[in-house]
């Protein structure tokens, strides 16, 4: 039987340095790729320029290098690939529509699973003049017309997942009103373009996966395997981030990150340099030992 070689990736948003939570995601995807003899690609998800921090991408590269998380091939920057997203949006033209609703106008809609608002479909039937104030607006987003069919997939850690995108999220944005291509569109285009077979990332993105599979089907591209690792939170249950004052990830965090992923780290491994430690860990990696939680609170 012909087996497709494993291609993994890490796709940070350069909005700040890596913290413990993003180090865990990088480490899990690196270990899974190396354990399977695969390639590990690096992609900077820098489309949301207002949120990008100028020096963050370089800081992330230096942090990964210091932790011996070596990537294969050139680093890909989404900001240099707008043509691809434009082409994908064009392919979806018959399935999408312009939307001029403001955030304020959506405030009364129910909350979607990811905390955003479920789009009530206001602009689905068009921005016809006279129909509403929306018709006169010039800035509009592009939304995908979703369907009622449930999307099902089996996550390697979180198990069987089912989501009805239309009911649980609603018609979601492909390009924002400020012209920025949405993460959901760009991630699908790039994972396919880079030949990614295995997406390993934090469980905060588990609820995005059905949207991504929906897009893959519409664009006629293959669905990779998915593995979502628990997200590290502080004692208050908040995801680690700049806002929650998470400290920058350092090589000294590697043993703790390995334990977070369910590995037993023997005393002799604690004396190893990052390269040797990761070499040891990639040989002993067992994805079946990753805790099946979506979040895990760190002590202290
Ligand atoms: N750029 C996303 C983030 O940093 C991750 C994207 C992905 O792994 O699919 O949250």
């Amino acid at each position: 039987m012909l087996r497709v070689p494993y291609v993994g990736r890490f796709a940070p948003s350069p909005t700040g340095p890596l913290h413990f939570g993003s180090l865990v995601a990088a480490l899990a995807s690196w270990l899974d790729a190396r354990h399977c003899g695969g390639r590990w690609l690096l992609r900077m998800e820098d489309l949301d320029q207002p949120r990008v921090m100028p020096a963050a991408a370089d800081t992330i590269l230096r942090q990964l290098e210091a932790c011996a998380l070596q990537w294969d091939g050139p680093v890909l920057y989404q900001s240099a690939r707008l043509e691809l997203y434009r082409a994908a949006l064009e392919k979806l033209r018959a399935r999408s529509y312009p939307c001029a609703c403001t955030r304020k106008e959506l405030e009364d809609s129910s909350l979607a699973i990811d905390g955003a608002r479920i789009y009530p479909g206001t602009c689905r039937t068009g921005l016809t003049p006279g129909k509403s104030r929306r018709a006169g607006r010039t800035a509009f987003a592009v939304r995908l017309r979703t369907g009622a069919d449930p999307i099902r997939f089996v996550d390697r850690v979180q198990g069987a997942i089912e989501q009805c995108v239309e009911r649980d999220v609603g018609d979601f944005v492909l390009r924002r009103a400020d012209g920025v291509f949405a993460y959901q569109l760009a991630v699908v285009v790039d994972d396919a373009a880079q030949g990614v077979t295995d997406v390993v990332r934090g469980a905060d993105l588990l609820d995005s996966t059905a949207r991504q599979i929906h897009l893959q089907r519409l664009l006629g591209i293959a669905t990779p395997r998915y593995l979502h690792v628990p997200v590290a939170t502080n004692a208050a249950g908040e995801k680690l981030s700049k806002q929650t004052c998470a400290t920058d990830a350092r090589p000294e965090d590697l043993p703790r990150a390995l334990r977070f992923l369910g590995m037993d780290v023997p005393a002799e491994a604690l004396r190893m340099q990052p390269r040797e430690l990761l070499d040891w860990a990639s040989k002993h990696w067992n994805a079946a030992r990753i805790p099946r939680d979506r979040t895990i609170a760190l002590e202290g």
Side-chain angles (χ1 to χ4, degrees), residues 9 11-13 43 45 183 187 191 199-201 204-205 212 239:
R9 52 60 155 190
S13 305
R43 179 171 79 231
E45 300 211 323
Y183 155 68
V187 76
D191 282 340
V199 171
V200 176
R201 60 186 177 190
D204 51 329
L205 294 165
Q212 294 169 18
K239 187 182 153 188

Side-chain angles (χ1 to χ4, degrees), residues 44-279:
M44 288 293 165
E45 300 211 323
D46 60 349
L47 287 181
D48 195 354
Q49 286 297 326
R51 289 187 59 230
V52 163
M53 244 176 67
D58 288 341
T59 305
I60 291 173
L61 298 183
R62 266 185 278 115
Q63 287 176 293
L64 291 172
E65 271 167 353
C67 291
L69 290 164
Q70 196 50 58
W71 58 90
D72 297 309
V75 181
L76 197 138
Y77 290 81
Q78 286 192 323
S79 54
R81 300 166 60 79
L82 302 184
E83 250 345 287
L84 269 95
Y85 314 133
R86 220 166 271 136
L89 192 64
E90 185 54 37
K91 265 192 161 179
L92 295 167
R93 188 193 263 274
R95 300 286 313 226
S96 56
Y97 60 91
C99 164
C101 293
T102 60
R103 204 176 289 244
K104 188 137 187 54
E105 284 166 338
L106 300 178
E107 259 172 14
D108 294 334
S109 302
S110 15
L111 279 181
I113 37 174
D114 59 0
R117 297 284 166 183
I118 297 182
Y119 186 62
T122 322
C123 295
R124 246 193 188 198
T125 49
L127 301 166
T128 44
K131 192 177 159 202
S132 72
R133 287 180 295 120
R134 285 175 196 91
R137 290 187 190 148
T138 48
F140 56 82
V142 177
R143 287 185 185 270
L144 184 76
R145 198 186 310 271
T146 52
D149 289 347
I151 303 276
R152 297 189 185 93
F153 64 98
V154 178
D155 184 87
R156 289 172 55 204
V157 163
Q158 309 290 339
I161 307 283
E162 179 175 326
Q163 190 189 96
C164 170
V165 178
E166 187 179 43
R167 183 195 62 211
D168 299 338
V169 182
D171 293 351
F172 58 92
V173 171
L174 299 173
R175 198 186 62 205
R176 299 192 327 212
D178 62 3
V180 173
F181 290 100
Y183 155 68
Q184 309 292 354
L185 179 70
V187 76
V188 160
V189 167
D190 283 335
D191 282 340
Q194 293 187 281
V196 170
T197 61
D198 288 81
V199 171
V200 176
R201 60 186 177 190
D204 51 329
L205 294 165
L206 188 61
D207 290 331
S208 287
T209 308
R211 266 170 279 178
Q212 294 169 18
I213 293 174
H214 187 49
L215 281 175
Q216 286 153 2
R217 291 179 185 166
L218 293 176
L219 290 167
I221 54 190
T223 293
R225 281 180 293 259
Y226 287 99
L227 188 164
H228 287 86
V229 299
V231 169
T233 69
N234 62 16
E238 300 160 325
K239 187 182 153 188
L240 303 186
S241 67
K242 264 198 318 265
Q243 287 71 34
T244 55
C245 303
T247 52
D248 297 358
R250 298 165 310 143
E252 292 78 1
D253 296 322
L254 284 170
R256 191 179 184 210
L258 292 170
R259 275 190 229 106
F260 187 91
L261 290 166
M263 294 195 82
D264 290 326
V265 186
E268 72 261 26
L270 296 177
R271 287 189 287 275
M272 293 175 184
Q273 291 301 307
R275 193 176 302 276
E276 202 189 345
L277 176 62
L278 290 204
D279 203 39

